[in-house]
């Protein structure tokens, strides 16, 4: 349906505002990721109490048609609603009503305005729909309105006895599409043309079913028609045809099958090189997306097969904006069947979606959402208006109408979710899930360490709502035994920046963790260790950055894990909890899948597998390991039929078990607890694009299918490899799981205070700060309850962590000694005159603690603490310098758990 002749024409006429509202003109455009022109920030806009079917613009005025009886102020603002009988005129820059008021009525039934279009000279507004009068002036479903006076033209009286659904206009001709069979008493079935004075023209393009869209080619020689029809002038052409602008004769037909019989064309849009259709279907096998055609030959340029009933399309500066409820774009390599996206943007040259994601809900009526577009604005700022049956925009109440400007962009990206891990003494792996920004796909991430305001790493990356990759940074400037904290921000091109992420804290081990290091060395492309403290992000410890998402909040941080060391496991409830990968990939033909599990369930479930959906059951699914009701394990692929290997034994005995399935040129092999239990020569499997699933997915049609596809139990150390691991590699993984591993214990101070020589009798037990200086003297005192060493281990490393305050000059250039306290003391009893005695020799030194709001560490002599394990131990912080050090005490909310001792235990 044609909205207007657009911004190519001179925008010279403006209907004055009625003084309602008061929002200022928006500033010039801000930065959004090219080629998107509009931000996703919804502007304050008056709204309707019904459905908006049509939009058009002239200068700085937007015309609104539909089925409604009033317009009212934007949600959250005050003001008096105004009566509006199926029509309103609003100021493009403020979103408020103008003085133009028209009523579209009918004697019987319900009147509605279904289409609006403005003449090329911007002087006349044409309205089509089902109505019999405009402001009392008799008309018949088509009216011409003088824009300058906001009055119907009484001489324009063509008779359309049924609904007019779409209009297009040239200098001298008005083309109409709809449900009618006659015009002015003459046969014109579903398509017709009249002069701008209302006289019927010879143009004849008779169709057997309703017309829904009509557009004139830029050169004026052809008319593009769309709708439900199967024939035009007797020619086989379903839903779309190109006809001569004068006679209506078919010049290009699109026979049945080009567009499926259960799909129709709802809208047509043109630009200088092509035209674009918005399509809607009903039932199975429909086409719901968009098609681009070249105007040079009217042949298809591309076809976007997303499912979700496209209602309107609008081209602007090389981008095609679409209104739909797209819910499945898997056929074009994008999101699988799931949530609905009501507003999308893509280049006019391809199907790939751009990073523009404002959204509405389905709303009233048919529950379609948005139905109409127009672009307005005579100045530097342009406005994309959206109308429809929605009742919310970007999650906030807003009915029928919304709008977006070319700037400024005010929306900040979401806060990154960050994880950090270290499995060797020389490196920390910092990982985060890409943020989202509703109008920016390209974001810049900055990584901050230990509270510093200077980033240690910066990287730029792309993301979309359904494609949020993992980004990572390997920090090699670390010291074994020390603890580091990392935070990440995301910024768009306009400088809108997210808040800092939550701290991800990690202690660098003093020796390499054997099991995870071997998994990485063997080439894992996905490695989930399940060490997260929050959902939904699942960090990937491999070099593949193949992160995942927890569904329905499984229970995290389960101990003991399957593998010796500081890692944890995840527990699934067997009802609705699972995980899936966040990256769509091609199904591998050679692969290994590996996981550890522990369960007593007698309902089975999928442990790991590949499928073509995410939150919903996959339609294609194989390359999986699953458990039967009796605890047997099955490894299966689909190669023209189900091909499986299974175990004789049962493994639902409440103990940790290791299971591995491989497929490669040598066939399939199943391993359990490090040993091969079955194999065959099957080398093929189903090829499709999809996602890795852990804990659940479809198992329909597979042998020994369990009662539940959801696994109930614990999972740990899940990995996928692009190779078939050898029997030796699998056996080594199993053996390394029980190898001795260092464990880390973090102990927070139970008491902390300081003494001040300048106030010798004062006690600072309730202070949120601690102080250290030589002249004049301050000394701080810390007490810790030390754990006993785990059985078979000794204390290998000890470290004291403290955090400087935010006060100016909190850091110090002086060295600070960590000295044992030998005398008795209490937090409420210490003053400078009543301070405890100290040992003669320091057990550690804090140096380089020069910045504020930063965590610093002092390595301690582990032998000094070893004999004190299992009891209380106190240290003092002293200095001989004159530069004070100010630290947060354990009472301070910003202390991040400091002061604390970090103790590493390991084999002797």
């Amino acid at each position: 349906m044609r909205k207007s002749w657009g911004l190519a024409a001179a925008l010279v006429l403006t209907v004055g505002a009625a003084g309602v509202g008061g929002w200022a003109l928006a500033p010039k455009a801000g930065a959004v990721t090219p080629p998107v022109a509009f931000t996703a920030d919804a502007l304050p806009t008056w709204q309707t109490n019904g459905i908006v079917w049509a939009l058009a613009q002239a200068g700085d005025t937007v015309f609104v048609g539909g089925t409604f009886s009033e317009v009212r102020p934007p949600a959250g603002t005050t003001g008096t609603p105004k009566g509006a009988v199926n029509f309103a005129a609003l100021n493009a820059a403020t979103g408020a009503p103008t003085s133009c008021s028209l009523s579209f009525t009918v004697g019987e039934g319900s009147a509605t305005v279904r289409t609006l279009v403005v003449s090329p000279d911007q002087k006349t507004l044409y309205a089509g729909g089902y109505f019999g009068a405009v402001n009392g002036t008799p008309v018949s479903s088509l009216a011409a309105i003088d824009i300058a006076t906001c009055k119907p033209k009484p001489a324009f009286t063509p008779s359309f006895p049924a609904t007019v659904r779409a209009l297009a206009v040239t200098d001298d001709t008005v083309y109409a599409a709809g449900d009618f069979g006659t015009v002015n008493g003459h046969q014109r079935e579903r398509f017709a043309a009249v002069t701008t004075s209302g006289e019927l023209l010879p143009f004849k393009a008779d169709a057997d079913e309703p017309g829904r869209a009509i557009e004139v080619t830029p050169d004026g020689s052809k008319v593009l028609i769309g709708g439900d029809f199967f024939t035009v002038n007797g020619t086989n052409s379903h839903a779309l045809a190109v006809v001569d602008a004068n006679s209506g004769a078919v010049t290009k037909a699109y026979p049945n099958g080009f567009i499926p019989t259960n799909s129709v064309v709802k809208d047509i849009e043109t630009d200088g090189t092509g035209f674009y259709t918005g399509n809607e279907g009903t039932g199975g096998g429909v086409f719901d997306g968009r098609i681009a055609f070249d105007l040079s030959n009217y042949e298809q340029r591309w076809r976007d097969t997303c499912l979700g009933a496209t209602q309107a399309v609008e081209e602007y500066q090389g981008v095609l904006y679409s209104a739909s409820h797209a819910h499945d774009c898997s056929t074009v390599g994008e999101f699988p069947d799931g949530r609905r996206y009501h507003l999308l943007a893509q280049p006019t040259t391809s199907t790939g979606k751009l990073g523009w994601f404002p959204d509405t809900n389905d709303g009233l009526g048919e529950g379609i959402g948005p139905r109409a577009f127009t672009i307005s604005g005579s100045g530097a700022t342009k406005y994309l208006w959206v109308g429809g049956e929605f009742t919310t925009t970007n999650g906030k109440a807003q009915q029928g109408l919304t709008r977006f400007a070319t700037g400024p962009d005010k929306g900040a990206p979401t806060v990154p979710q960050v994880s950090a891990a270290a499995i060797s003494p020389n490196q920390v792996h910092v990982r985060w899930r890409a943020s989202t920004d509703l109008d920016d796909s390209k974001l810049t991430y900055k990584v901050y360490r230990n509270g510093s305001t200077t980033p240690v790493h910066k990287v730029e990356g792309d993301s979309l709502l359904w494609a949020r990759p993992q980004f990572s940074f390997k920090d090699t400037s670390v010291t074994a035994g020390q603890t580091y904290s990392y935070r990440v921000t995301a910024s768009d091109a306009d400088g809108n920046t997210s808040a800092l992420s939550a701290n991800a804290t990690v202690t660098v081990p003093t020796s390499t963790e054997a099991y995870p290091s071997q998994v990485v060395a063997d080439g894992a492309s996905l490695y989930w260790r399940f060490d997260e403290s929050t959902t939904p992000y699942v960090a990937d410890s491999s070099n593949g950055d193949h992160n995942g998402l927890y569904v329905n909040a499984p229970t995290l941080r389960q101990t003991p894990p399957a593998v010796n060391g500081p890692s944890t496991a995840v527990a699934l409830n067997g009802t609705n909890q699972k995980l899936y990968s966040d990256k769509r990939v091609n199904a591998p033909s050679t692969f290994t899948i590996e996981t550890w599990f522990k369960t007593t369930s007698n309902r089975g479930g999928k442990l790991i597998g590949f499928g073509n959906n995410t939150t919903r059951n996959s339609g294609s699914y194989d390359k999986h390991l699953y458990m039967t009701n009796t605890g047997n394990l099955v490894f299966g692929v689909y190669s023209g039929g189900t091909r499986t290997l299974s175990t004789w034994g049962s493994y639902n005995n409440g103990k940790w078990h290791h299971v591995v399935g491989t497929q490669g040129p040598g066939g399939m092999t199943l391993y359990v607890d490090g040993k091969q239990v079955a194999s065959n020569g099957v080398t093929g499997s189903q090829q499709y694009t999809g996602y890795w699933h852990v804990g659940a997915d479809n198992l329909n049609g597979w042998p020994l299918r369990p009662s539940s596809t959801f696994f109930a139990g614990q999972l740990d150390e899940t990995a996928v490899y692009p190779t078939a691991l050898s029997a030796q590699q699998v056996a080594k993984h199993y053996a390394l799981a029980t190898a001795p591993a260092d464990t880390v214990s973090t102990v927070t101070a139970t008491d902390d205070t300081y003494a001040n020589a300048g106030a010798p009798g004062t006690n600072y037990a309730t202070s949120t700060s601690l102080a250290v200086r030589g002249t004049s003297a301050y000394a701080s005192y810390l007490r810790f309850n030390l754990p006993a060493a785990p059985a078979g281990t000794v204390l290998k490393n000890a470290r004291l962590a403290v955090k400087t305050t935010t006060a100016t000059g909190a850091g110090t250039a002086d060295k600070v000694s960590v000295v044992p306290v030998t005398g008795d003391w209490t937090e409420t009893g210490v003053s400078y005159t009543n301070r405890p005695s100290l040992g003669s020799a320091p057990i550690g030194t804090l140096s380089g603690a020069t910045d504020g709001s930063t965590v610093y560490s002092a390595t301690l002599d582990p032998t000094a603490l070893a004999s004190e394990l299992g009891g209380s131990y106190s240290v003092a912080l002293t200095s001989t310098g004159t530069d004070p050090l100010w630290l947060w005490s354990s009472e301070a909310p910003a202390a991040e758990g400091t002061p604390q001792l970090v103790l590493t235990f390991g084999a002797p």
Side-chain angles (χ1 to χ4, degrees), residues 456-807:
V456 295
H457 181 69
K458 183 169 73 172
V459 65
E460 190 177 76
D462 292 310
S463 60
L464 299 171
L465 291 187
W466 58 85
R468 297 175 61 180
Q470 174 176 289
F471 296 104
S472 60
F473 160 59
K474 292 181 178 178
D475 188 0
T476 57
S477 299
V478 295
T479 301
Q482 292 200 19
T483 298
Y484 297 86
S485 62
Y486 299 87
R487 305 179 82 177
V488 180
T489 61
S491 302
D492 64 20
D494 209 34
N496 298 305
T497 302
S498 73
L500 281 163
S501 70
N503 263 310
T505 302
V506 59
T507 298
V508 181
T510 56
S511 60
T512 298
E513 293 183 33
Y515 184 92
S517 295
Q518 192 63 52
V519 170
V520 174
D522 284 340
S525 57
L526 177 157
Y527 183 23
W528 295 347
R529 304 201 68 197
F530 309 126
D531 293 340
E532 291 75 32
S533 298
T534 59
T535 61
Y537 169 54
V538 185
D540 181 14
S541 293
S542 80
N543 293 320
D545 284 331
H546 204 138
N547 58 299
L549 294 173
Y550 292 106
V551 177
N552 290 322
T555 305
L556 307 178
R557 309 295 297 173
Q558 298 295 289
T559 57
V563 173
N564 281 345
S567 184
T568 61
V570 63
L572 306 178
N573 62 11
T575 303
N576 64 352
Q577 295 173 341
K578 63 177 182 177
L579 303 83
Y580 66 88
S581 62
D582 208 14
K583 182 188 294 185
R584 184 185 181 95
V585 296
N586 292 322
S589 55
T590 297
F591 64 92
T592 295
I593 49 178
E594 173 183 44
T595 195
W596 290 77
F597 68 92
K598 181 170 66 172
T599 187
T600 57
S601 172
N602 60 3
R603 300 180 66 243
K606 182 174 286 193
L607 300 174
I608 181 173
F610 194 76
N612 69 345
N613 212 308
T614 53
T615 57
R616 301 185 180 183
N617 261 352
S618 296
S620 296
Y621 45 96
D622 73 334
K623 303 166 192 62
H624 47 208
L625 290 162
Y626 61 92
M627 177 175 280
T628 68
N629 289 347
T630 55
N632 304 109
L633 298 172
V634 180
F635 172 43
V637 301
Y638 187 86
S639 179
T642 59
R643 304 288 188 265
T644 61
L645 300 172
S646 59
T647 65
W648 287 102
S650 298
Y651 297 91
N652 54 347
N653 58 2
K655 298 180 180 179
W656 280 113
H657 294 285
H658 180 232
V659 59
V660 177
T662 72
Q663 185 180 41
M668 298 169 60
T669 307
L670 174 62
Y671 302 88
V672 180
D673 292 340
K675 297 179 181 180
Q676 178 178 320
V677 296
S679 64
N680 63 26
V682 175
T683 59
S685 62
Q686 191 174 2
Q687 296 302 295
Y688 52 98
T689 58
Y691 310 82
W692 289 104
H693 293 250
V694 172
D697 198 14
N698 206 345
L699 282 170
N700 286 339
W702 283 82
L704 302 175
R705 181 183 183 276
S707 301
S708 173
T709 59
F710 287 90
F711 175 74
Q714 293 186 21
L715 293 168
D716 201 3
E717 306 292 331
T718 298
V720 177
Y721 305 79
T723 60
L725 294 184
S726 67
Q728 292 77 18
Q729 288 174 306
V730 174
K732 187 174 184 180
H733 287 197
Y734 181 69
L736 288 176
T738 56
D742 291 350
T743 59
V744 177
S745 180
T746 300
V747 184
T748 303
T750 57
D751 298 288
D752 54 6
T753 188
Y754 75 98
N756 176 8
T762 303
N763 172 261
Y764 295 95
T766 60
S767 174
T768 58
S769 300
L770 303 171
V772 183
R773 185 170 64 183
T775 307
S776 63
Y778 299 106
S780 290
Y781 304 91
L782 316 172
R783 177 180 284 116
F784 301 90
N785 289 330
L786 303 182
T793 68
V794 297
L795 182 63
K796 298 176 63 176
N797 183 276
R799 182 175 54 80
L800 173 68
V802 292
K803 185 180 181 183
T804 52
T805 71
T806 53

Side-chain angles (χ1 to χ4, degrees), residues 47-71:
Q47 51 190 326
T48 66
N49 65 345
I51 299 173
V52 172
W53 296 101
L55 294 169
Q57 63 80 31
D60 289 317
T61 299
V62 171
F63 303 106
V64 182
T67 309
F68 52 86
S69 60
E70 71 174 24
V71 291

